[in-house]
Amino acid sequence: MTRVPIQIPPGVIVDDTTFSVGQSAWSDVNNVRFWRGQPQVIGGWQRLVTTPLTGVCRKAFPWSDNLGQLNIAFGTHSNLQLWLGGALYDITPASGFTPGAVDGTGGSGWGTGTYGAGDYGEPSEGAFFPLTWSLAPWGQTLMACPRGQTIFQWSNDTGTPAAALSGAPANVTCMLVTNTRQVMAFGCNDAITGVFNPRLIRFSDIENPTDWTAAVTNNAGDFVLPGSGQIVGAQLIAGNVFVWTDNGLYQGAFDPTLDAAGQANGWEFTQIGANCGLIGPNAAVVLANQAAYWFGSNGQFHLCVLGGAPQILPCPLQEDVFTHVAASQAGKIVASGCAEFGEVRFDYPDARDGVENSRYLTYSTGGNLSAVASYNTINTIWSKGLMARTAYVDAGPSPYPIGVDYAGDIYYHEAGLSADGAAFDAYAESADFYLGAADNTFTVRGVWPDVQAQQGALSVSVFTRLYPQDPLARVRGPYPLSPGRSKADFLATGRIARIRYESASAPTFWRLGKPVFDVAQGGLR
């Protein structure tokens, strides 16, 4: 008899056959992260308010007002709403706002369907894409832009709805507020002709969000990105601005020495990457104000550290994810972070489940973003899960990350050990591996678990086969593992094995170490 330790490095590999992966990774997980090198169940979630939002939420944004109160804005396909002090308020603009589509429909127009199928200079009709929002604070005032419409502002009065921002372009793809306290519109109408230009950037004067008229006496102005394609999204990064088109990345920097006769009254944009465009308006996130991660329009994942060049982020789930993203629904993809565990998260619509966001995947940065500049392909710790979240944002200033489901229910995540009091499914399954020399068969007599901090029920199953392409594996289990149980006894014969841990209880938590198989060698076969 021998003892076979099951030492599996962190990370999930899906794009290769489970046998080719061998004992080098996990082949399938759900709601499990890899923390300090070992798999453990993610945190649970708790409902923030009993009243659901009106409409399907595509953006959540928390900020603090001048009194230090937490405000959370939610942009849905039909409304703009606010959570404050435990209650929800409707701050939807009374005029100038048009409810949009829940789903993308493809077709012509900028931003959806076949690239360039629409007339140049014309924005997509609202029906072609799901209505997404860009939200940002100007001081304690909320700036809000529904994609393809104008910019609205809400001035901290729950009894007064948001109103159109005076002077702002009529049609804007997305918006942000710069560190120089300027409102910046991306993909918008020309100030003189009124014609929509998908590569035009306009910005207000410093400290005056209603002055958008360029003059030698102010810092309002505009800038047209060189090249082709259209602006998809933008993010602040350490006082600079990253702007993604559907095929490249640009960096904007403010230079107070530039004027209207030089470069756009202080802002200059330079292309820093090609073939690395953004797949949807909210599919990029900046972590620690120094590194951007995004889901590319080419199906790859990318990262770029401020001061560096974009690079592909190798993902062993990339083929599985990109080939199953629901057609015409890429505008729903949401990128976010989880600073507590050093993760980047992508929620996306998987066609195997329908047309709505239904799954997520995470990339572990290891909590050390400064090391990203020397990134190498070995560090590919990815995980995944089944979870329907149409909007998601990390903690800060909120105490926990915030997620919203299709029904409009708002949750604090990484809070508690249950799904709002109910059970949720979590599992981790290894790839196939040889139990010993490939010529021999083996009998597995049991497994010695190595589980830490277990709460709730947990089970283990073992699958064995004689040959890599055997159509069916012999299944033993699931066997319940009560906390502290020293061994699960069974008999299973084969050359090749894999192991699966699974739970579905409330509360639920477990962290795996290094289990050991109790194995007896058989004969040659």
Side-chain angles (χ1 to χ4, degrees):
M1 291 187 297
T2 59
R3 307 289 183 260
V4 179
I6 312 303
Q7 183 64 58
I8 305 173
V12 180
I13 297 179
V14 174
D15 291 347
D16 293 311
T17 66
T18 179
F19 188 76
S20 68
V21 171
Q23 199 176 327
S24 62
W26 297 89
S27 65
D28 194 14
V29 301
N30 182 39
N31 293 328
V32 166
R33 63 164 44 96
F34 296 92
W35 178 238
R36 299 196 301 269
Q38 300 297 328
Q40 69 180 45
V41 179
I42 64 172
W45 50 94
Q46 300 173 353
R47 196 180 304 263
L48 183 58
V49 61
T50 57
T51 305
L53 296 169
T54 300
V56 178
C57 184
R58 299 296 177 199
K59 186 73 171 182
F61 178 73
W63 81 102
S64 296
D65 60 27
N66 290 347
L67 297 177
Q69 299 178 109
L70 175 63
N71 292 247
I72 311 174
F74 299 93
T76 77
H77 82 283
S78 59
N79 291 78
L80 180 63
Q81 293 173 265
L82 176 84
W83 180 93
L84 177 63
L88 280 177
Y89 299 90
D90 189 353
I91 57 171
T92 306
S95 62
F97 167 71
T98 302
V102 173
D103 302 314
T105 60
S108 62
W110 287 104
T112 57
T114 304
Y115 172 72
D119 294 331
Y120 183 86
E122 293 297 325
S124 294
E125 295 297 327
F128 291 135
F129 52 77
L131 184 65
T132 54
W133 291 73
S134 46
L135 305 171
W138 194 84
Q140 68 171 357
T141 297
L142 174 70
M143 297 293 177
C145 178
R147 181 180 177 184
Q149 302 183 41
T150 193
I151 300 171
F152 298 89
Q153 64 175 343
W154 177 74
S155 300
N156 297 88
D157 180 355
T158 56
T160 303
L165 177 64
S166 177
N171 304 103
V172 179
T173 299
C174 63
M175 167 277 312
L176 57 73
V177 176
T178 69
N179 287 10
T180 53
R181 287 175 62 84
Q182 294 170 276
V183 181
M184 190 170 282
F186 303 87
C188 57
N189 311 86
D190 183 86
I192 297 175
T193 67
V195 174
F196 181 86
N197 185 335
R199 300 183 66 82
L200 174 63
I201 301 171
R202 292 179 58 193
F203 36 90
S204 71
D205 191 16
I206 293 174
E207 297 290 350
N208 189 350
T210 63
D211 186 358
W212 293 73
T213 303
V216 293
T217 58
N218 69 17
N219 286 96
D222 57 38
F223 192 103
V224 178
L225 295 181
S228 61
Q230 60 178 320
I231 294 173
V232 178
Q235 294 275 339
L236 284 178
I237 179 165
N240 295 263
V241 176
F242 274 1
V243 184
W244 287 269
T245 66
D246 49 7
N247 54 31
L249 174 63
Y250 296 75
Q251 181 178 329
F254 183 78
D255 184 346
T257 65
L258 300 177
D259 58 22
Q263 288 286 339
N265 284 28
W267 281 96
E268 184 175 14
F269 293 83
T270 304
Q271 185 168 7
I272 60 174
N275 302 316
C276 59
L278 188 63
I279 197 169
N282 292 321
V285 64
V286 171
L287 298 188
N289 216 18
Q290 62 175 299
Y293 297 79
W294 68 97
F295 194 141
S297 56
N298 59 0
Q300 300 282 356
F301 295 93
H302 302 265
L303 69 89
C304 184
V305 177
L306 185 63
Q311 54 186 302
I312 291 176
L313 186 64
C315 175
L317 299 89
Q318 182 266 337
E319 182 179 351
D320 179 74
V321 171
F322 187 65
T323 57
H324 291 105
V325 169
S328 303
Q329 309 304 317
K332 298 176 180 178
I333 296 174
V334 178
S336 58
C338 182
E340 180 182 3
F341 293 99
E343 293 173 344
V344 182
R345 172 173 171 142
F346 297 93
D347 288 87
Y348 68 98
D350 193 293
R352 290 169 289 191
D353 309 317
V355 297
E356 194 48 72
N357 282 7
S358 57
R359 305 190 185 200
Y360 72 90
L361 69 157
T362 61
Y363 168 73
S364 174
T365 68
N368 184 12
L369 291 176
S370 63
V372 174
S374 59
Y375 173 83
N376 62 73
T377 58
I378 297 174
N379 181 27
T380 52
I381 302 175
W382 291 80
S383 191
K384 66 190 184 75
L386 293 167
M387 186 183 297
R389 294 294 182 266
T390 62
Y392 201 97
V393 64
D394 196 10
S398 61
Y400 302 99
I402 301 164
V404 186
D405 66 15
Y406 184 81
D409 291 315
I410 308 166
Y411 299 99
Y412 273 153
H413 280 259
E414 305 299 334
L417 302 175
S418 70
D420 195 35
F424 68 92
D425 186 48
Y427 59 79
E429 183 172 318
S430 74
D432 288 326
F433 56 89
Y434 279 112
L435 290 165
D439 290 339
N440 293 319
T441 61
F442 298 85
T443 298
V444 182
R445 297 157 50 92
V447 61
W448 300 354
D450 183 17
V451 183
Q452 182 183 41
Q454 180 182 339
Q455 292 199 45
L458 174 64
S459 66
V460 62
S461 299
V462 174
F463 306 81
T464 58
R465 291 186 288 173
L466 284 174
Y467 303 99
Q469 294 198 151
D470 279 352
L472 296 174
R474 299 180 177 93
V475 183
R476 295 294 183 267
Y479 300 104
L481 295 179
S482 56
R485 182 174 178 178
S486 59
K487 186 179 181 182
D489 293 310
F490 54 86
L491 292 176
T493 301
R495 291 189 181 92
I496 301 160
R498 70 181 188 270
I499 189 169
R500 177 186 175 98
Y501 289 89
E502 186 165 12
S503 63
S505 60
T508 185
F509 184 82
W510 39 267
R511 176 176 169 81
L512 301 182
K514 184 168 67 174
V516 174
F517 277 172
D518 181 5
V519 175
Q521 182 174 319
L524 299 176
R525 185 174 176 180

